[in-house]
Amino acid sequence: MTDLAPHGLHHVTAIASDPQANVDFYTGVLGLRLVKQTVNFDAPDVYHLYYGDETGSPSSILTFFPWRGVPAGRQGSGLTTATAFSVPPESLGWWQSRIAALGIEHEGPRTRDGEEVLTFRDPDGLVIDVVAAPGDTRSGWDGVADVPAEHAVRGLHAVTLSERLPDPTVELLTGLLGMSAAGEDGDRARFAMAGGGAGAVLDVAADRRPDGLQAGGTVHHVAFRVADRATQAAWRAELVEAGMQVTEILDRQYFTSIYFREPGGVLFEIATDEPGFAVDEPLLELGRSLKLPPWLEPTREQIAASLPTLRVP
């Protein structure tokens, strides 16, 4: 087993279609804060939208590449098939009533992995779980939506990987990635980071369906937390030594990242906690305007012209 281990989830990145519908759902329905409005650094004619708590704390962040006209994806093996957020246990009924009142189809609440879970989908079909999580002391964001602070989403809780052959993935998680087994529920196995708890849980589900199709309404990658770049570099060296195909350290402006694929095909990222989202705009103004990294600033006019206008609450 490695001496290195993630602190928990850093963020989840998914694929959407219409950026305005995406903003309206995640700010207006889930009550998350749009903490950064930027672009996909590899395809700057596409937004990269970040949602989270008030500051965009690691483990609270869900991000999207909204490609207009993207075809719908298909859930199946080899994908991250659910993204879970935590709420106070006494708030799950409130969320069920809210989702029902908005006309959003949902399942549950039902018991899974010893937790009460409410499941629904976003406008592109991305599977969202809301989990009653006792002991999650993180503060929620209650800024612009009509979600009272006592019911607000606390942050990411867990992700679910669907795997046709779970064993090689489990070996990676408990070996090189330093996670610990934390229980089983039917065809699902749970793994904990940093002792487990909200924001530090990953589930692996055995899935006999055909391979999933990564497109609209599916997760692009899952990122894990590491404290700083020095630890990230040490982890990269250990992964490379073990024979993993790992990218160089990439500057994502708000963190640095490395990427590699686990045996089942899911793309993993290891991202630093620092420097954070206030590096290029004040905390009170997060997400209100388009921010670009220095190397894209010379083409700001062309990039802005290629993007649809967003109405940001």
Side-chain angles (χ1 to χ4, degrees), residues 9-16 22 26 39-40 46-51 60-67 79-83 85 122 126 128 156 159 214-215 217-224 252 255 257 259 266-269 271 277:
L9 297 168
H10 186 282
H11 67 269
V12 174
T13 293
I15 302 170
N22 189 258
Y26 285 97
V39 296
N40 181 334
V46 175
Y47 278 114
H48 193 176
L49 304 176
Y50 290 76
Y51 305 92
S60 77
I61 309 161
L62 177 60
T63 95
F64 286 90
F65 300 132
W67 269 288
L79 290 181
T80 301
T81 51
T83 302
F85 288 95
D122 81 356
L126 187 74
I128 299 293
L156 290 173
V159 295
Q214 190 175 74
T218 65
V219 170
H220 186 271
H221 64 266
V222 175
F224 303 104
R252 297 311 194 193
F255 43 85
S257 301
Y259 301 85
V266 176
L267 183 62
F268 282 174
E269 174 183 356
F277 293 101

Side-chain angles (χ1 to χ4, degrees), residues 29 92-109 118-120:
V29 175
L92 199 62
W94 184 92
W95 277 99
Q96 182 181 17
S97 297
R98 175 178 177 81
I99 294 301
L102 292 171
I104 298 171
E105 293 185 6
H106 61 280
E107 301 173 17
L118 176 69
T119 300
F120 51 93

Side-chain angles (χ1 to χ4, degrees), residues 145-235:
D146 54 342
V147 178
E150 64 267 25
H151 298 308
V153 168
R154 273 21 189 182
L156 290 173
H157 180 72
V159 295
T160 299
L161 310 186
S162 289
E163 305 283 2
R164 181 173 289 112
L165 298 172
D167 288 351
T169 298
V170 169
E171 183 178 349
L172 174 70
L173 298 179
T174 56
L176 282 172
L177 299 190
M179 300 184 195
S180 57
E184 295 184 2
D185 185 350
D187 61 357
R188 298 169 59 90
R190 171 156 287 191
F191 300 89
M193 298 164 272
V201 176
L202 184 148
D203 295 325
V204 176
D207 194 330
R208 304 308 179 197
R209 292 178 293 179
D211 289 346
L213 174 64
Q214 190 175 74
T218 65
V219 170
H220 186 271
H221 64 266
V222 175
F224 303 104
R225 296 177 61 184
V226 66
D228 52 43
R229 185 161 177 165
T231 308
Q232 182 183 62
W235 204 349

